[in-house]
Amino acid sequence: AAWEALEALHEDDTPIEITSINVIIQACIALGDLQRAVGTYQLCSELGLRPNVETFNFLLSGAIATQHRELGERVVEYMKETGVSPDSQTYERLVVLCLQGETYEDAFFFLEEMKAKQFTPPLSVYEAIIRRCFMAGDNRFKIAVEEMREQGYTLSDDLQKLVEGKGRKVTQPR
């Protein structure tokens, strides 16, 4: 219904803002309709609209919710094609998306790119990296803990217990 209303506005030559598209994309993602969210994005040019960083951040949220790494990679390509620069939230989402996969090396690439662009990684990024590395037996969690502390963040109680070995998963006997 929202899309139909938007099309009616367009047919009446009423100016449409990109925020209208972003709301529809966000609603599609909330409803779990990732295909429609991407389709809505793809119609931006047809409506004479230029996507903004929020447009791409919403699409990345959908990729995270569905663990759809390929979509995340396409979103990065879309951003390059349209000349939209990532913001701190974009990098945060890219790190989280990369951490979901079996191989998560790209998460470190995006973390470094984020810092190179002078964005301070939020606590949530460090916590996600620490958890993923720890659970994978990757000792880089120690580097992430140190870097997190250098940024002035402290470990949550749960994360502190985890890295101290008190929160390890206990396997059930067979």
Side-chain angles (χ1 to χ4, degrees):
W3 179 257
E4 289 172 8
L6 199 64
E7 281 183 321
L9 290 172
H10 179 66
E11 289 171 8
D12 290 340
D13 291 326
T14 303
I16 300 170
E17 297 289 325
I18 190 62
T19 52
S20 302
I21 293 291
N22 290 348
V23 167
I24 293 172
I25 290 172
Q26 190 176 21
C28 291
I29 290 167
L31 294 170
D33 193 346
L34 194 57
Q35 184 173 352
R36 186 172 298 217
V38 173
T40 301
Y41 157 75
Q42 292 172 334
L43 291 172
C44 283
S45 61
E46 200 173 292
L47 297 172
L49 297 173
R50 184 174 185 268
N52 60 20
V53 70
E54 287 83 19
T55 310
F56 297 111
N57 286 343
F58 289 133
L59 290 171
L60 286 171
S61 292
I64 290 168
T66 58
Q67 297 186 3
H68 198 307
R69 174 84 182 260
E70 287 179 29
L71 174 60
E73 292 169 4
R74 279 190 291 177
V75 169
V76 170
E77 289 304 313
Y78 296 155
M79 291 183 82
K80 289 176 184 175
E81 290 169 7
T82 58
V84 173
S85 297
D87 66 5
S88 180
Q89 286 185 335
T90 309
Y91 285 111
E92 179 180 1
R93 286 173 171 89
L94 288 168
V95 168
V96 170
L97 181 63
C98 291
L99 289 172
Q100 290 179 334
E102 192 172 315
T103 59
Y104 54 93
E105 199 62 38
D106 286 346
F108 297 102
F109 168 79
F110 288 119
L111 174 65
E112 292 306 315
E113 190 171 307
M114 178 184 213
K115 294 186 297 186
K117 300 258 177 148
Q118 305 301 308
F119 294 120
T120 301
L123 176 61
S124 60
V125 165
Y126 286 112
E127 287 183 338
I129 289 172
I130 292 165
R131 285 183 192 284
R132 180 66 173 98
C133 288
F134 183 83
M135 298 311 255
D138 182 340
N139 281 329
R140 289 182 289 182
F141 82 88
K142 294 174 187 176
I143 296 167
V145 167
E146 187 61 37
E147 190 172 307
M148 184 182 106
R149 288 183 173 142
E150 288 171 6
Q151 293 290 339
Y153 299 126
T154 57
L155 288 171
S156 66
D157 290 341
D158 288 345
L159 200 53
Q160 184 71 38
K161 288 176 186 173
L162 182 73
V163 298
E164 288 176 357
K166 297 175 186 170
R168 288 200 173 131
K169 290 183 180 177
V170 177
T171 56
Q172 296 294 326
R174 295 182 184 206

